[in-house]
Each structure stands twice: as C-alpha cells, then as structure tokens.
C-alpha cells in the first residue's frame, strides 16, 4: 500500500490513529479478487466485497487492514460495510469502478459504511447508473417509482475519511453523512446531469464535525445540503454547477425541533446554479434554530438566487398555514461575495413574520445583474442586521440590536 500523505492540518486531529498506524506497520491487504470478485462489469461481486470487508474488519494484526479493489469494473448489487471492527483502522483502497445494478433494484442505500470508527476510503469511482430511475421519476412522478437509491452513505460512524472519490449519476443523493461525527470528504468529484431529480452532491444530517474540502460538484439538486442536526461543519474549496447551490435546509417539514449550528462555507464558486447560498425552512408551525453560519470568499457566475433566505417555503401552498416558519435564523454572515446574478433580485432575505432573522452581517458583497449589466436589487422581509464595507445591491436589512460586533 502506498504511504499515506500527511492530512490537511484541519483534518489531522481526526485521523491521527490512521496515520500513525500506517507509518508503523504495513497494512494487511484483502483483495476482493481473492474473495471471488470478477472485474467484468457483469458478475455481481456483492458477496466478494462483503467477505473481503469481513476479513479486514476482523483483522487483529498490528497496523491497519486494507480492502483492495484493483482496477476494473465491478457490478455490486449492494454493499454494507458494518462495524465495529476488531482492527483499529480499515482502509478501503479502490482503483476500480463500482457499478450499481441496472435496472434499478429499489434499494434505498447502495454502498453503506455503518457503525465504523476509523475508516478511510481512498479513490474509486461509483457509477450509480441512475438514468433509468430518473426516467421513471420524470414520467410518473414520485409515487410510481421506488425510493431513489443513494450511492454512498456514512451512517452512525466516527472518524471517516473519504478521499479522491468520483461519484457519477447516483439515482438519488450521491454522498450522505448521517448520525456521524468526525467525517472528512476531500478531493471529490460528483457528476450528474443538471436535470436529474434530487441528486444532491453531499448531504449532511444529524452529524457534527464534518469537513468537505476540495470538491467539484455538478448535479441536479443541491451541491451540498445540510439539514437538521448539522453542526460544526466546514466546507471549503467547492465548485458547484450545474446544481441548486449550497443549502441549509429544507428545515422544519415536521414539527420536531431543528438545530443547525456553526457552519462555515469558504472559497466556493457557483456557476449557472439556481441558488447560491441558501437557507430554507418550511412555513409551518415548526421550531428550532439556525445559529452561526459564515459564508466567505464566494464567487457567483450567473446564479439565479445568489443569496437567499426563504422561511416561507411552501411549494404549491398546500400544507402550510400562513405565519411563516417557527425556526429562528440568527448570526449569519456573508463576507467577500462577488459576481453576477441571473435575475434582478440578487439578495433575498424572506424571513418569517413570527421569527424574524437577526444578526445578519454583510461585508463586501458585490453582486450585479449579469443579464442587464446593471446593479441588482435586494429584498428584505423581517430581516435584521448590519452591512459593512462595499455592499451592492445596497443592504435592505433593518437595524438590529442583536447583531454581533464585527471585528
Ligand atoms: C465551529 O466548527 C469548527 C469546525 O468546522 C470548529 O473548529 C470550531 O471550533 C467550532 N466553533 C465553535 C464555537 O464550536
Ligand atoms: C456566530 O457564529 C460564529 C460561527 O459561524 C461563531 O464563531 C460566533 O461566536 C457566533 N457569534 C455569536 C454572537 O453568537
Ligand atoms: C402561495 O401564496 C402566496 C401568498 O398567499 C402567493 O403569493 C403565491 O403566489 C402562492 N403560490 C402558489 C404556488 O400558489
């Protein structure tokens, strides 16, 4: 196994055990080929992957154990990599491409890591082959098709590093992090058509201490989405487009209390996306808060809604009363955001009449209406905060006692 390169400083604390183990002793490798996998793209290799994982997970030698997937194409009907493992750390080194079954089998989760602690997934291409599923969705709508298969899911796990993954054409969400802590997803490529339904790039739920660094994402839904229970999330170096942008939400579809805290989004570029930086909650009698979101160093190119907070979300006006969302949004900053909007309204803070947004700060935000080559507009409802430096379109925020001091 090649020596591991030093992890980014930010991630170092998560992976100390993996890195030290790797330098101490060579990994014991378990190749899927030795467990009966055939790299012909047609033979189902699910059993071979299951067995190779089982052996690596049970390995008690000193040093990490590795599951090795050599170059080639492997049909894998589904793969559940479950822990806890007896070995301290498991690496899954993938040189090949994993193919999802076609026609779609209706499994909700295709490749899953669950209850693991200290796993790194290195390289690999996952081809979800979602085309037939999307055709079903487009033809019949939701209910006539089975649930969308998600390509990669990290569930109930700790200290997981996914590095150098390419995820193509997932039928549903490409990468899901749920009920986990200490997860880093670095050097990722996600690719699906702009009109593929609900194919979010990276989706984070009920998880903390999650890092996404260096990702190139083009897909049919949010490039990165964070929903209830996301906290201490760091997203840096993402390019997004096509797609629906970087989103917090939708939040509060059910009455359960929602909390999203301490989200950092930095150095991202959005091109031709429907939204840029979005926070969205249902206009329902829900409760909870979004507290502490920092967006900085953002470039927008021809984005339909570059900056948007929508607390009155209610597609079709069907199930929502009219008082807006009960979720409090506070302490959200936008710093050094520039580029072009594809619509006249580049900044939209459409907050809840019952729980107004507070503590919004804008500093050096320069967005123009790219279509008209003129200044863009901003729109505020129930939005409080302060603007600093150059802000165009001019801020429409109301003054706010609660706005934190800006250094
Ligand atoms: C916010 O999250 C980052 C990681 O994204 C972490 O380093 C930082 O300590 C957190 N801040 C607070 C106040 O918890
Ligand atoms: C605002 O949120 C940031 C994280 O984005 C945090 O570091 C800061 O302490 C928060 N400020 C207040 C006043 O809550
Ligand atoms: C929903 O209701 C709002 C306000 O009552 C209205 O402005 C909007 O056009 C409606 N949207 C739909 C899709 O009916």
């Amino acid at each position: 196994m090649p020596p591991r390169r030093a992890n980014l400083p930010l991630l170092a604390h998560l992976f100390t055990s993996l890195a030290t183990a790797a330098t101490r002793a060579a990994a014991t490798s378990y190749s899927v080929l030795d467990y009966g996998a055939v790299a012909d793209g047609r033979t189902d290799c699910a059993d071979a992957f299951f067995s190779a994982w089982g052996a690596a997970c049970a390995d008690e030698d000193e040093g990490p154990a590795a599951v090795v997937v050599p170059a080639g194409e492997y049909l894998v009907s589904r793969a559940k990599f479950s822990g806890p493992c007896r070995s301290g750390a498991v690496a899954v080194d993938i040189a090949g491409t994993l193919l999802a079954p076609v026609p779609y089998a209706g499994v909700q989760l295709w490749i899953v890591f669950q209850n693991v602690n200290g796993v790194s997934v290195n390289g690999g291409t996952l081809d979800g082959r979602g085309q037939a599923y999307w055709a079903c969705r487009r033809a019949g709508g939701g209910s006539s098709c089975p649930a969308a298969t998600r390509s990669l899911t990290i569930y109930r796990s700790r200290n997981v590093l996914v590095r150098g993954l390419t995820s193509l054409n997932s039928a549903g969400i490409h990468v899901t992090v749920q009920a986990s802590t200490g997860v880093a997803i670095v050097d990722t490529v996600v690719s699906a058509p702009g009109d593929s339904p609900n194919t979010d790039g990276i989706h984070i739920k009920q998880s903390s201490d999650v890092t996404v660094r260096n990702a190139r994402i083009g897909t049919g839904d949010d490039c990165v989405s964070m929903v209830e229970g996301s906290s201490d999330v760091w997203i840096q170096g993402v390019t997004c487009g096509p797609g629906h942008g970087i989103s917090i939400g939708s939040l509060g579809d059910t009455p359960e209390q929602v909390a999203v805290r301490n989200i950092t989004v930095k150095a991202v570029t959005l091109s031709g996306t429907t939204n840029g930086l979005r926070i969205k909650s249902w206009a329902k009698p829900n409760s909870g808060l979004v507290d502490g979101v920092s967006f900085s160093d953002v470039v927008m190119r021809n984005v339909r809604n570059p900056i948007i907070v929508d607390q009155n979300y209610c597609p079709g006006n069907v199930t929502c009363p009219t008082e807006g969302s009960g979720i409090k949004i506070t302490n959200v900053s936008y710093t050094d955001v520039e580029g072009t909007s594809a619509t006249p309204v580049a900044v939209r803070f459409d907050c809840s009449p019952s729980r107004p947004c507070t503590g919004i700060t804008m500093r050096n935000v320069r967005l123009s209406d790219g279509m008209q080559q003129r200044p863009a507009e901003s729109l505020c409802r129930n939005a409080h905060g302060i603007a600093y430096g150059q802000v165009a379109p001019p801020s429409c925020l109301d003054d706010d006692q609660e706005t934190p001091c800006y250094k």
Side-chain angles (χ1 to χ4, degrees):
M1 197 184 67
R4 302 196 177 291
R5 268 185 293 137
N7 287 313
L8 300 158
L10 186 78
L11 312 178
H13 69 287
L14 297 179
F15 308 111
T16 318
S17 64
L18 282 173
T20 49
T23 51
R24 200 173 58 230
T28 311
S29 291
Y30 299 90
S31 168
V32 294
L33 296 177
D34 294 335
Y35 292 86
V38 183
D40 62 0
R42 287 182 292 123
T43 307
D44 188 356
C45 301
D47 289 346
F49 277 64
F50 181 79
S51 302
W53 168 263
C57 185
D59 185 303
E60 284 178 327
D61 289 352
E62 200 187 334
V67 174
V68 174
V69 182
E73 293 192 327
Y74 302 83
L75 173 65
V76 179
S77 54
R78 66 186 302 185
K80 195 175 269 187
F81 300 113
S82 297
C85 291
R86 236 169 293 164
S87 43
V90 181
V92 180
D93 297 327
I94 310 176
T97 297
L98 277 53
L99 303 177
V102 284
Y104 50 91
V107 298
Q108 211 166 346
L109 306 177
W110 177 32
I111 296 167
V112 186
F113 289 86
Q114 64 177 25
N115 301 316
V116 299
N117 184 352
V119 164
S120 66
V121 182
N122 305 295
T125 298
L126 306 181
D127 187 346
R129 299 201 285 185
Q131 292 86 348
Y133 180 77
W134 307 328
C136 174
R137 286 286 301 272
R138 290 187 192 113
S143 55
S144 58
C145 313
T149 304
R150 299 179 179 195
S151 282
L152 175 64
T153 301
I154 313 293
Y155 184 62
R156 290 198 173 171
S157 292
R158 307 170 69 87
N159 303 324
V160 176
L161 168 62
V162 177
R163 176 174 47 197
L165 175 79
T166 299
S167 180
L168 308 175
N169 297 326
S170 178
I173 295 171
H174 284 260
V175 177
T176 304
V177 177
Q178 184 170 348
S180 294
T181 180
V183 177
I185 299 173
V186 300
D187 302 339
T188 311
V189 175
V190 169
S191 175
D195 63 352
S196 55
N198 302 121
T199 52
D200 295 40
I202 298 172
H203 180 71
I204 300 165
K205 179 173 181 173
Q206 295 153 344
S207 295
S208 61
D209 205 358
V210 178
T211 302
V212 175
R213 200 187 262 255
N214 296 343
R216 185 152 50 83
I217 301 175
T219 192
D221 206 308
D222 296 331
C223 288
V224 180
S225 53
M226 290 157 269
V227 297
E228 66 270 16
S230 299
S231 65
D232 302 334
V233 177
W234 189 282
I235 293 167
Q236 181 167 7
V238 174
T239 64
C240 171
H244 295 184
I246 298 194
S247 286
I248 296 174
S250 307
L251 301 172
D253 188 14
T254 62
E256 283 148 61
Q257 190 141 341
V258 169
V260 172
R261 291 177 206 268
N262 187 20
I263 310 292
T264 303
V265 177
K266 202 176 165 63
V268 302
T269 299
L270 300 122
S271 302
T273 51
T274 55
N275 302 292
L277 311 172
R278 173 167 63 170
I279 302 175
K280 182 165 84 163
S281 67
W282 284 82
K284 289 186 173 184
N286 42 30
S287 68
L289 56 83
V290 175
D291 184 1
V293 184
S294 157
F295 297 108
S296 63
D297 302 327
V298 179
V299 176
M300 309 266 187
R301 298 197 186 103
N302 201 34
V303 172
R304 286 235 289 277
N305 302 294
I307 290 179
I308 178 166
V309 174
D310 178 6
Q311 285 202 277
N312 296 294
Y313 179 63
C314 189
N317 283 350
V318 207
T319 48
C320 322
T322 51
E323 79 268 29
S325 173
I327 293 169
K328 176 82 175 171
I329 296 177
T330 187
N331 187 16
V332 180
S333 65
Y334 302 85
T335 308
D336 297 324
V337 179
E338 63 172 58
T340 55
S341 174
T343 65
V345 178
V347 177
R348 182 184 295 267
F349 295 119
D350 185 3
C351 296
S352 168
S354 57
R355 305 299 303 276
C357 299
T358 57
I360 298 175
T361 59
M362 304 182 80
R363 186 183 189 102
N364 298 335
V365 174
R366 293 183 301 277
L367 294 164
S368 61
D369 181 346
M371 306 303 279
Q372 306 298 330
Q373 308 229 316
R374 63 174 188 195
E377 297 160 31
S378 55
L379 179 154
C380 292
R381 280 163 66 193
N382 312 305
H384 300 259
I386 300 185
Y388 301 85
Q390 259 194 317
V391 173
S395 164
C396 54
L397 296 166
D398 289 330
D399 280 354
D400 182 1
Q401 302 296 319
E402 294 178 53
T403 302
C405 283
Y406 202 101
K407 290 180 216 74

